[in-house]
Amino acid sequence: MNAPALREARHRACPLCAARQVTGLRAMRLVQPSGSPLPGEYDLVACDVCDFVYADTAATQGDYDRYYAHCAKYAAANASGSGEAASDNRRLADAAERVARLLPRADSPWLDLGCGRGGLLAAVARRGFDGGRGLDPDPGCAALGARQGLKIHAGTLDRVAQLFTGQRFELIVLSHVAEHLRDLSLLQPLREQLTASGRLYIEVPDAGRYGEHPRTPFYYVDSEHINHFGPASLQVLARELGFAALALERFVLPLDDRSGYPALALIAGQGSGVPPAAPEVVSHMRAYLEACERQAAVRIEPPLPEGREVLVWGAGSMAQRLLGLGAFEGLALAAFLDNDPNKQGRQLAGRPILTPAAGLAAHADAPLLICAAVEHRQIEAECRAFGEGRTRSIHRVI
C-alpha cells in the first residue's frame, strides 16, 4: 500500500478557517471512472490552526457540482438516502426523529439540502410534518423524488437564495453533505434563509471515531468525503456561519452487515452555545492512517481461482480506493458491474462498467468478486437471482 509522495505546493487554504499553515498526512490515489471531473490523487492534510483534516484537492467546486449531478450514485436503486435498504431505512427513521423534534409545528417549512431521492423528506412526512422541501444537484434524484410526491428542486447550493427567494425556513438540514463540499463558504447565505428562531442541523461522519469502527484500509477516505469533522471543527463551522453551536450529539448509524458507522450531529442557531469541545480529529486521524498502513493487505474470501477472468461487482468508492492502493494487481479483470445508471457505460481502470444483467450474461462462468463495503448480502442474493441454475463462484473483498 505504497502512497504517492506528498506535494510541497498546496491547492487551497483550510476550507474551515482559511489558514494556510497545514501539514501533509498522506497522499491518496483514487482511480476515477472515465469522464469523472475529479482528480485521481490528492493530499490529505491537517490544518495547523483548527482541528480539521481535509483533501487538498485540485478540483474546483464546479467540478464537484458536475460530479454530483452526473457521476454520483445517489439516483441509483438502493442508494444511500433513498430508504430502500433496511439499514438505510432505520438510519433515516432515526434522523427523522431528530429533525421532527426541531420543527415547532406540523406545517413548519424546512429545507433538506443535498437530499438525494428524498428519503429523509419522506421519513419526516410520515411523522406528520409535511412542510419539507429538498434540493439536490442530480436531476435524476429530483425526478425520482417528484414521483413520490416530494418537492425536490434540482440545483446546487449556490442557487439556494435564488430558488427560495423570500422564503424563510424553521430548519435547514445538511445530512451527510458538509463532508462533500469543497467550498464550505457556500453555507454562508443559509443564515438569511432561516427564521429568527430557525435552526441549522448538520450531520457528518465522525472523524474522531473512525478508528473505533475499522473496515477495509482507508475506508473513510475517498473521492467524495473531502472534509473530516469532529465536535471542535463543527463548532468552528457554526461560528464561521454566524451561529452558536447549541447542541452536539454523537451516535452510530446501523449498517446492513450489523456493523456501525460513526456519526456526529450539530444543531446551530441563535442563543447560548455549548462549551468548546477539545480538539481531537487531527490526532485521531493520524492514528487511524497509521493503523491503515499497518493493516495487512485486503483479503478475498474465499480465494479466487487462478488464471480466470474476474467480474467485479461495484465501481464506487471502495473499488476506486482499492485500485489506487494496488489491491487488484495481478487479477484479470473482465468488467465492473454496477446498478448506478451514472456509472454504466463508463470505464474504470480500462474495463467497462456494465449493468449487472449485461455483465453476468456476457461472462457466464466468470468468478464474481463483490467489492462493496456493506451491501454484500444483498448483492449476492441479486447475483443468485440472475444466475439461477448456473454455477458461479462468488467472492468478497474483506
Side-chain angles (χ1 to χ4, degrees):
M1 292 190 294
N2 294 326
L6 288 161
R7 294 177 298 101
E8 294 185 6
R10 292 284 161 236
H11 292 296
R12 59 175 181 153
C14 173
L16 192 59
C17 74
R20 291 194 170 274
Q21 299 83 29
V22 300
T23 300
L25 299 180
R26 193 185 196 278
M28 299 300 304
R29 183 166 184 263
L30 302 148
V31 176
Q32 298 295 322
S34 60
S36 171
L38 301 188
E41 292 184 6
Y42 64 68
D43 285 356
L44 191 68
V45 302
C47 178
D48 295 341
V49 176
C50 71
D51 189 42
F52 197 52
V53 173
Y54 64 96
D56 184 39
T57 171
T60 66
Q61 184 60 52
D63 293 328
Y64 283 95
D65 289 343
R66 287 189 291 277
Y67 171 82
Y68 287 109
H70 305 296
C71 302
K73 64 185 179 183
Y74 299 99
N78 292 308
S80 175
S82 68
E84 293 178 346
S87 64
D88 197 45
N89 192 44
R90 292 194 298 272
R91 176 182 74 82
L92 291 171
D94 291 346
E97 289 292 335
R98 290 190 288 273
V99 168
R101 289 197 296 265
L102 299 172
L103 295 171
R105 304 177 311 278
D107 63 348
S108 293
W110 69 282
L111 181 61
D112 187 6
L113 298 176
C115 65
R117 296 168 58 178
L120 182 58
L121 288 165
V124 173
R126 286 194 291 271
R127 283 155 179 76
F129 296 88
D130 58 2
R133 301 179 71 175
L135 178 71
D136 196 87
D138 188 340
C141 286
L144 289 166
R147 293 177 194 172
Q148 304 177 61
L150 302 172
K151 299 175 182 177
I152 300 178
H153 298 262
T156 49
L157 281 176
D158 59 343
R159 298 192 63 216
V160 168
Q162 176 187 351
L163 289 169
F164 303 103
T165 301
Q167 300 179 57
R168 294 293 181 270
F169 298 95
E170 295 285 357
L171 176 68
I172 295 178
V173 171
L174 294 106
S175 180
H176 294 267
V177 170
E179 68 271 23
H180 296 260
L181 294 176
R182 188 207 186 271
D183 295 339
L184 290 170
S185 61
L186 289 170
L187 305 181
Q188 287 287 350
L190 298 186
R191 185 177 178 183
E192 301 303 316
Q193 300 296 142
L194 285 170
T195 65
S197 60
R199 297 288 185 260
L200 179 66
Y201 177 92
I202 300 178
E203 184 177 317
V204 293
D206 188 350
R209 295 187 294 152
Y210 290 169
E212 298 175 21
H213 301 271
R215 303 186 76 86
T216 53
F218 305 99
Y219 170 73
Y220 297 99
V221 185
D222 57 34
S223 298
E224 295 190 3
H225 289 190
I226 57 175
N227 299 318
H228 300 273
F229 292 93
S233 48
L234 271 187
Q235 287 178 300
V236 172
L237 178 60
R239 185 172 67 246
E240 291 294 321
L241 299 179
F243 296 105
L246 304 178
L248 288 162
E249 182 182 357
R250 299 179 115 155
F251 44 91
V252 176
L253 303 177
L255 299 178
D256 267 350
D257 62 355
R258 300 179 184 176
S259 64
Y261 189 101
L264 170 67
L266 163 79
I267 300 170
Q270 303 305 317
S272 299
V274 297
E280 62 174 51
V281 163
V282 173
S283 60
H284 279 286
M285 283 294 290
R286 289 183 185 277
Y288 171 70
L289 295 171
E290 290 171 2
C292 289
E293 296 286 2
R294 292 193 302 270
Q295 187 173 345
V298 296
R299 302 194 319 275
I300 296 176
E301 297 291 346
L304 285 163
E306 295 184 4
R308 300 278 300 279
E309 281 196 325
V310 177
L311 284 175
V312 178
W313 191 310
S317 294
M318 184 172 175
Q320 295 162 23
R321 183 173 54 252
L322 293 178
L323 284 165
L325 292 169
F328 292 161
E329 288 181 6
L331 295 184
L333 302 179
F336 291 86
L337 313 182
D338 207 289
N339 278 316
D340 182 1
N342 282 338
K343 292 186 177 67
Q344 293 161 4
R346 300 177 186 270
Q347 290 194 339
L348 182 62
R351 299 295 186 271
I353 303 174
L354 308 173
T355 67
L360 293 171
H363 302 274
D365 299 316
L368 179 70
L369 177 61
I370 297 175
C371 185
V374 178
E375 306 89 352
H376 54 93
R377 292 188 182 90
Q378 174 188 320
I379 292 171
E380 184 169 346
E382 188 173 346
C383 175
R384 296 293 187 199
F386 277 118
E388 188 173 0
R390 180 181 297 153
T391 301
R392 183 192 300 275
S393 64
I394 299 179
H395 310 258
R396 182 188 168 203
V397 176
I398 305 294

